[in-house]
Amino acid sequence: MNKGRLEAFTDAVLAIILTIMILEFKVPESFQLSAMVDQLPYLISYAIGYLFIGTAWYNHHYMFTQTKHITQRIYWANNFWMFTTSFLPVATAWVGRGLNEQGPEIFYFIVYLAWSFAYAWLSRVLIVANRESGHEQVAENISHMLIYRYLSNWKIFVVQTAVVVVILIYVPALQMVVVTLQILLVGMRFNPDSDKLDE
């Protein structure tokens, strides 16, 4: 399969997801600036979702720029990752309506877990495919990405799940703080060569 077509398809799907997220923002009926206060929970949720997708796209771009050959397995793993990502607008909108409610926050956590599994699987498929095609350095570069090491570590997964379950019971809104910290501290720590891929 042509790598450029897959990357273009992925970019288009992510752009649509971001568009849907902003379209969920409701314009206030009032012309008073104070009317925006009611929209603050959604704005917070939207900002986190935008950061989430933007960071994921950068990491995705890094992996696919280095990958030399696209297999059917990579194609379907990428589709599954995009499928899980497509639930983010719904989770974002629901959390925006009930920032400290258990139902929306639990759904967001389920979406986040599904996305994490899909992203780790996609990364793993890319690592294996590059090793099998003789591109060991590419496989090593992807396997050394902090986001992959974080998402594929079962001990971290168990601790994170336990912490979030406690948070969801007592202060559901705190989960969004945890997600934001994970994006900032893990997702946005890129490989040193990520700025030099096109040079």
Side-chain angles (χ1 to χ4, degrees), residues 7 9 18 25 31 37 57 59 83-84 92 124 129 150 156 162:
E7 288 177 307
F9 177 52
L18 287 172
F25 179 75
F31 293 108
V37 172
W57 180 88
N59 283 293
F83 174 73
T84 61
T92 298
R124 183 67 191 155
Y150 180 83
I156 292 175

Side-chain angles (χ1 to χ4, degrees), residues 87-158:
F87 283 93
L88 197 56
V90 179
T92 298
W94 201 16
V95 164
R97 289 179 58 196
L99 193 59
N100 201 36
E101 299 296 329
Q102 278 188 343
E105 291 288 355
I106 289 171
F107 181 70
Y108 197 100
F109 182 58
I110 291 169
V111 170
Y112 185 74
L113 283 182
W115 181 92
S116 298
F117 171 78
Y119 193 89
W121 182 49
L122 173 60
S123 301
R124 183 67 191 155
V125 168
L126 287 166
I127 291 166
V128 171
N130 279 294
R131 280 201 175 122
E132 289 176 349
S133 62
H135 299 100
E136 186 63 36
Q137 187 57 55
V138 174
E140 285 299 308
N141 289 345
I142 295 171
S143 67
H144 282 100
M145 293 175 69
L146 183 59
I147 189 170
Y148 172 69
R149 288 185 286 133
Y150 180 83
L151 294 177
S152 60
N153 186 317
W154 69 269
K155 292 177 183 175
I156 292 175
F157 172 79
V158 170

Side-chain angles (χ1 to χ4, degrees), residues 3-15 75 78-79 82:
K3 185 171 74 166
R5 298 261 339 247
L6 182 61
E7 288 177 307
F9 177 52
T10 303
D11 290 349
V13 170
L14 294 182
Y75 171 75
N78 192 66
N79 268 349
M82 288 190 299

